């Protein structure tokens, strides 16, 4: 299982005019291989070197080159495009484009986007070696650096114009490596995270079951956020109708006992276990092999207790870092602290259920408690909340587990 280094990162690739523009086509492919979503903006000059159709086919998205394309503006305005971007990379960047960026011009779509975006901007220069060495270009590049624009390259070598010197576009591999390195390490890089999510169903007979109102959204959002933070994620999912987050390995189960077996098998080589599943505490003592018929009398179901999966993982010899959830209608903090201790957890994420929060909705708020501290995460979209939760888990994990440095 590998987790792509630019998983779901929105990359806006600006292609400048220059013979190296053809290399940007390969860059699009490799960015996508690394997990990124790519949108391409070309300068007017770039379109003279490579056709927009090439970039459109490779990126899977429409390519833009003008501020005045009404249909494209209607689909996604340049402001939205600037906001969409997590990263802007300009490759190749010509001397003219660098000059315009250095001076804050906004006469075309690409330079306008660079002024509008809040995303980090990387520039990969490619030009004749004399142009690169010229004090005007060097001064412009220096200006960009001072503004925290990352300047990637250029490399030295033989040039398309027949000369030799500094001014070649970095190789595509080097551009990607530079981009990944510039983004910095992610909080769960190198860690294996196990997540349980969703409800469990306990069968009464072949057509009826006992379940609960968990949608699985929170657990799935946690799995997605952990993958995005660099972890190798395994997700044990109860019966839910949600699609598997990118880069996540999913195992579907139905009953609490099936979930227990899957979790116990996977917990042995997990660094962190986040138990977000709403495991049914009870199941019918027997499951009828055929459909139960009405008898005209009251029907009593004998329920017996299910295994407590999280508590069982907590009792293993070397448990992973354990995060439990507590959904409570009342006395939230009191019950959550009790579960933290009883189940030997490293952290518990407690949420109030009822009203417009908790089950079956897109928003939630969480009270995080660990031994020695607590933090309230305010009501937010479950995906946003999951990202905050994962960051706190990573911090607590690093604070409590010794760092193993391999030789
Ligand atoms: N959990 C579990 N297996 C169970 C029940 C719960 O792994 N059979 C996990 C849940 O995934 C959650 C945490 O334990 O992370 C809290 O579960 P909860 O059922 O709320 O706590 P209980 O200890 O069962 O307490 P109560 O039902 O009395 O609230």
């Amino acid at each position: 299982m590998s987790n792509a280094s630019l998983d779901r990162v929105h990359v806006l690739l600006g292609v400048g005019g220059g013979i190296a523009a053809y290399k940007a086509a390969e860059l699009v492919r490799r960015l996508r291989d690394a997990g990124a979503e790519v949108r391409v903006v070309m300068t007017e000059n770039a379109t003279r070197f490579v056709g927009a159709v090439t970039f459109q086919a490779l990126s899977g998205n429409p390519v833009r080159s003008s501020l005045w394309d009404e249909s494209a503006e209607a689909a996604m305005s340049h402001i939205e495009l600037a906001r969409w971007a997590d990263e802007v990379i300009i490759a190749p960047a010509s001397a003219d484009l660098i000059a315009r960026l250095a001076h804050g011009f906004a006469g075309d779509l690409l330079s306008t986007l660079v002024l509008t975006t809040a995303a980090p901007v990387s520039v990969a220069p490619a030009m004749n070696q004399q142009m690169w060495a010229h004090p005007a270009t060097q001064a412009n590049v220096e200006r960009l650096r001072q503004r925290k624009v990352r300047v990637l390259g250029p490399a030295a070598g033989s040039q398309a114009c027949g000369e030799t010197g500094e001014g070649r576009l970095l190789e595509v591999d080097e551009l990607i490596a530079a981009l990944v390195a510039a983004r910095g390490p992610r909080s769960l890089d190198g860690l294996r995270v196990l997540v349980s999510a969703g409800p469990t169903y306990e069968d009464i007979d072949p057509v009826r079951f006992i379940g609960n109102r968990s949608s699985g959204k929170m657990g799935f959002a946690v799995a997605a956020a952990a993958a995005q933070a660099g972890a190798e994620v395994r997700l044990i999912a109860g019966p839910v109708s949600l699609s598997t987050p990118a880069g996540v390995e999913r195992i579907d189960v139905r009953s609490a006992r099936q979930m227990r077996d899957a979790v116990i098998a996977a917990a042995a080589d997990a660094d962190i276990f986040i138990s977000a599943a709403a495991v049914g505490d009870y199941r019918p003592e027997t499951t009828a092999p055929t459909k139960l018929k009405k008898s005209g009398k009251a029907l009593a179901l004998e329920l017996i207790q299910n295994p407590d999966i999280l508590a069982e993982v907590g009792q293993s010899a070397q448990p992973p870092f354990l995060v439990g959830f507590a959904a409570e209608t009342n006395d939230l903090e009191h019950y959550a602290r009790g579960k933290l201790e009883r189940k030997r957890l490293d952290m518990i994420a407690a949420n109030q259920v009822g009203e417009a929060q908790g089950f079956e909705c897109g928003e939630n708020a969480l009270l995080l408690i660990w031994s020695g501290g607590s933090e309230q995460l305010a009501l937010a979209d479950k995906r946003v909340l999951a990202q905050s939760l994962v960051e706190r888990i990573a911090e607590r994990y690093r604070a409590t587990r010794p760092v193993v440095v391999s030789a």
Side-chain angles (χ1 to χ4, degrees):
M1 196 172 29
S2 77
N3 188 31
S5 49
L6 293 171
D7 193 23
R8 276 162 297 163
V9 176
H10 292 177
V11 177
L12 182 68
L13 170 62
V15 183
I19 191 68
Y22 76 94
K23 289 191 185 170
E26 180 63 12
L27 180 58
V28 175
R29 282 194 39 194
R30 302 292 303 281
L31 285 167
R32 291 192 73 189
D33 287 348
E37 277 184 50
V38 184
R39 287 179 181 266
V40 178
V41 169
M42 305 176 75
T43 63
E44 210 57 51
N45 282 342
T47 60
R48 294 173 189 264
F49 289 91
V50 185
V53 186
T54 302
F55 287 109
Q56 188 162 317
L58 291 172
S59 68
N61 282 312
V63 170
R64 299 195 51 184
S65 55
S66 165
L67 268 168
W68 307 111
D69 181 344
E70 277 174 32
S71 59
E73 270 298 305
M76 188 190 248
S77 75
H78 63 279
I79 304 287
E80 285 169 311
L81 192 54
R83 284 197 197 123
W84 172 88
D86 297 318
E87 287 286 341
V88 175
I89 177 164
I90 300 175
S94 63
D96 176 69
L97 184 52
I98 287 173
R100 283 187 283 135
L101 297 179
H103 293 274
F105 284 10
D108 65 357
L109 179 61
L110 183 53
S111 50
T112 304
L113 286 168
V114 170
L115 287 188
T116 318
T117 190
V121 178
S122 303
V123 167
M127 65 194 74
N128 165 276
Q129 49 104 9
Q130 294 279 12
M131 291 174 92
W132 172 251
H134 197 284
T137 305
Q138 288 302 310
N140 288 335
V141 169
E142 190 46 38
R143 250 175 201 259
L144 291 179
R145 282 207 177 97
Q146 277 170 9
R147 238 182 267 144
K148 303 271 184 278
V149 170
R150 308 174 193 133
V151 181
L152 314 179
S158 64
Q159 299 203 296
C161 52
E163 294 178 21
T164 304
E166 245 181 71
R168 280 170 59 96
L169 184 70
L170 286 189
E171 294 302 326
V172 170
D173 276 349
E174 295 170 316
L175 288 174
I176 300 221
L179 198 61
V180 170
R183 287 179 63 77
R186 290 174 296 172
S187 60
L188 294 178
D189 270 338
L191 295 178
R192 290 157 304 178
V193 173
L194 176 66
V195 180
S196 71
T200 58
Y201 285 178
E202 308 297 336
D203 290 333
I204 298 170
D205 69 12
V207 295
R208 305 176 180 98
F209 60 85
I210 300 172
N212 63 63
R213 288 169 57 188
S214 166
S215 66
K217 276 187 195 156
M218 192 65 213
F220 273 58
V222 167
Q228 225 169 0
E232 268 186 29
V233 181
R234 206 173 267 179
L235 173 62
I236 314 291
V240 293
S241 49
L242 295 171
S243 52
T244 311
V248 167
E249 184 190 324
R250 170 175 178 174
I251 299 165
D252 285 312
V253 294
R254 179 174 170 85
S255 68
R257 282 178 298 170
Q258 287 171 354
M259 183 171 278
R260 180 230 165 248
D261 291 348
V263 166
I264 297 296
D269 47 42
D271 299 298
I272 297 173
F273 172 39
I274 306 171
S275 183
V279 185
D281 283 328
Y282 290 92
R283 67 173 184 276
E285 187 172 25
T286 52
T287 300
T290 53
K291 189 180 163 198
L292 295 175
K293 292 293 181 187
K294 285 190 284 293
S295 66
K297 287 183 277 177
L299 174 71
L301 278 179
E302 183 76 13
L303 300 179
I304 57 170
Q305 218 171 315
N306 268 327
D308 188 319
I309 305 169
L310 181 55
E312 190 175 337
V313 177
Q315 278 151 16
S316 59
Q318 280 188 310
F321 184 94
L322 290 183
V323 183
F325 275 74
E328 310 287 350
T329 53
N330 56 294
D331 299 316
L332 182 71
E333 182 163 354
H334 171 73
Y335 285 127
R337 285 192 187 278
K339 285 175 193 179
L340 182 75
E341 280 189 21
R342 211 167 52 247
K343 301 199 187 194
R344 303 187 191 175
L345 307 181
D346 294 284
M347 182 189 276
I348 191 149
N351 68 307
Q352 192 86 36
V353 284
E355 294 150 41
Q357 156 180 346
F359 290 135
E360 294 175 341
C361 63
E363 289 200 325
N364 208 351
L366 291 175
L367 172 65
L368 306 185
I369 307 174
W370 57 92
S371 119
S374 67
E375 184 180 348
Q376 177 71 48
L377 301 181
L379 187 69
D381 183 279
K382 284 182 178 171
R383 283 165 302 186
V384 176
L385 198 62
Q387 286 169 355
S388 310
L389 172 62
V390 159
E391 287 315 306
R392 299 315 183 278
I393 292 171
E395 280 166 24
R396 292 306 309 154
Y397 177 86
R398 308 269 180 210
T400 56
R401 302 280 151 134
V403 180
V404 180
V405 183
S406 51

